[in-house]
Amino acid sequence: MSVALIAVQNVVGQYRYINFSKYIIENDYLKNSDYFMLDMLSLPPEYDKQIEYSNSIRENISAFNGVDGVAYTKNSTLEYRSVNINLSMYNESMKKAFKKQLSEGKWFTSQSFTDNMPNVVICGAIFDDIPINSDIIIKLHSNKNIIEQKVHVIGKIDYPYFSADYNTISQNVSTQNFLVQANFVIFDDNKQTQELLNKYINISSLSFSYFVIYKNDCTQSQREGVRDYMDTVGSYANYDKILYNTEKEIKENIVKQMITPIFLLIVSTILLISIATLNTYKKLREHTIYYLCGCSRKNSFGYLFCEISIITLIATLINIVYVSYVIGLLKSGQMGYNQSVVDYNNILLSVVYCILTVAVTIILPFLIYRRNTPIEIYRRNHND
């Protein structure tokens, strides 16, 4: 039963993640978009030329009349509390596309600096104790030198710490491909911030994939022109196709994965009910003697209930300890759990199962005792 409950928790975590990713992607701004994926075989071998080539493709796509913007990121690394973490720069399209990421605070406005400090949005377990509107010191590496830079926190992405990620290139893109669980410091992608960061670190814009957002008045011919170009340099998936693949993933994979743990849980529950029934009948004569010696039916019923329900309670306790341990590792940053959401709501599943199973173990002795009272058992055995 313990193994079955843990297996159910893992699948439920995956189901919650894919629905969470769908919630993030479902917004009005992205409804009018395509997800572009660059043909990796067309990239030159040199890294610098790869950046130049991918940037030229992105600029060509952005130049089409019907395109409103391209949601992409520029990335690098920085150091915080002696840990290397991700640095991302969000342009205007990224902020609109992933606005649901924010747990508290706000995205960047026209004011990208506060008291000569760049505004940032933070994400990850390492920032769990940092409140909004506080200042933190990050370290930037410049020619083997470490430069300390104070930044002002205006927004926060809380647990489960998922931020945007475009690393997946697939024929069946779904919403679960766009999030990653990691520590991030997100900057506003504007001229002022770029001038500051470029003094110390190399910020790469090696964009192999990104969302291409069309204007509201974009005509079908304009849209097809963009898509024809994307087909020559890579491939794309439209927004409706992404949502379709997400629903398909839920139905075909998540449901299939759920079958085995649910089967194990049903088998263990049926075995528990069978054991409870057999145990109650087996102890009837014994509890009749207790009754004749002065033990009340209430106490006798309580003893039977404890004997039966202890199995379920132990299995539930093991499951609660397991989930709490995983949550502790995630929140401390000692463990990553990509494509799964695990929090205390998962424990609720175990508690509900425990309550229902214990309820059955209460009803069984009660029904059996109503049909087989201690006096009737005594008379039956006395006549034998």
Side-chain angles (χ1 to χ4, degrees), residues 46-57 59 206:
E46 298 84 0
Y47 181 75
D48 291 341
K49 290 185 178 179
Q50 288 181 0
I51 295 177
E52 183 180 346
Y53 177 73
S54 64
N55 286 347
S56 66
I57 298 298
E59 290 170 2
L206 188 58

Side-chain angles (χ1 to χ4, degrees), residues 120-362:
V120 297
V121 173
I122 54 177
C123 168
I126 199 169
F127 302 111
D128 204 38
D129 60 333
I130 304 299
I132 296 295
N133 293 321
S134 59
D135 302 331
I136 61 174
I137 296 177
I138 59 174
K139 295 180 180 179
L140 307 172
H141 297 263
S142 173
N143 298 324
K144 298 183 180 179
N145 296 320
I146 298 177
I147 308 298
E148 292 189 349
Q149 174 67 50
K150 185 177 285 189
V151 295
H152 183 71
V153 177
I154 61 170
K156 192 172 182 179
I157 301 171
D158 284 330
Y159 187 82
Y161 314 126
F162 285 111
S163 188
D165 178 60
Y166 290 149
N167 285 332
T168 299
I169 296 177
S170 170
Q171 295 296 321
N172 297 300
V173 181
S174 65
T175 61
Q176 65 177 333
N177 300 132
F178 301 128
L179 300 178
V180 63
Q181 192 176 62
N183 296 309
F184 275 88
V185 174
I186 303 171
F187 289 82
D188 189 12
D189 186 4
N190 61 26
K191 184 177 180 181
Q192 190 177 8
T193 307
Q194 289 180 29
E195 288 177 351
L196 171 68
L197 295 179
N198 285 335
K199 293 179 182 178
Y200 311 118
I201 55 178
N202 179 32
I203 300 178
S204 169
S205 57
L206 188 58
S207 305
F208 294 140
S209 51
Y210 37 79
F211 278 102
V212 177
I213 296 92
Y214 298 103
K215 296 177 181 178
N216 292 330
D217 59 352
C218 176
T219 64
Q220 187 61 32
S221 61
Q222 288 176 329
R223 191 188 302 263
E224 291 303 322
V226 179
R227 288 174 173 174
D228 289 341
Y229 175 74
M230 290 193 291
D231 277 333
T232 63
V233 293
S235 60
Y236 70 92
N238 63 52
Y239 181 81
D240 292 335
K241 179 65 174 178
I242 292 173
L243 293 186
Y244 171 80
N245 289 339
T246 303
E247 294 294 339
K248 185 179 179 181
E249 181 74 20
I250 293 173
K251 292 176 182 178
E252 293 187 0
N253 289 341
I254 302 298
V255 172
K256 285 181 181 178
Q257 292 180 46
M258 185 68 78
I259 291 174
T260 300
I262 289 293
F263 172 75
L264 292 174
L265 202 59
I266 291 173
V267 169
S268 61
T269 304
I270 292 174
L271 287 174
L272 177 64
I273 294 172
S274 301
I275 292 170
T277 305
L278 291 173
N279 185 68
T280 303
Y281 277 111
K282 183 179 178 181
K283 295 293 182 76
L284 281 176
R285 186 171 181 177
E286 183 179 321
H287 281 271
T288 299
I289 297 172
Y290 295 160
Y291 176 75
L292 295 174
C293 293
C295 180
S296 67
R297 287 186 66 188
K298 181 179 179 181
N299 289 337
S300 185
F301 174 76
Y303 295 147
L304 281 171
F305 165 69
C306 290
E307 290 176 1
I308 297 168
S309 63
I310 191 68
I311 299 174
T312 306
L313 293 173
I314 290 175
T316 304
L317 181 61
I318 291 172
N319 199 250
I320 290 173
V321 170
Y322 166 77
V323 174
S324 300
Y325 178 70
V326 170
I327 293 173
L329 291 177
L330 290 173
K331 288 198 170 185
S332 65
Q334 300 179 48
M335 173 183 176
Y337 213 14
N338 279 329
Q339 299 206 340
S340 185
V341 173
V342 180
D343 57 25
Y344 289 107
N345 288 326
N346 293 56
I347 293 178
L348 184 62
L349 175 68
S350 300
V351 173
V352 169
Y353 171 77
C354 179
I355 291 173
L356 293 176
T357 308
V358 169
V360 173
T361 62
I362 293 174

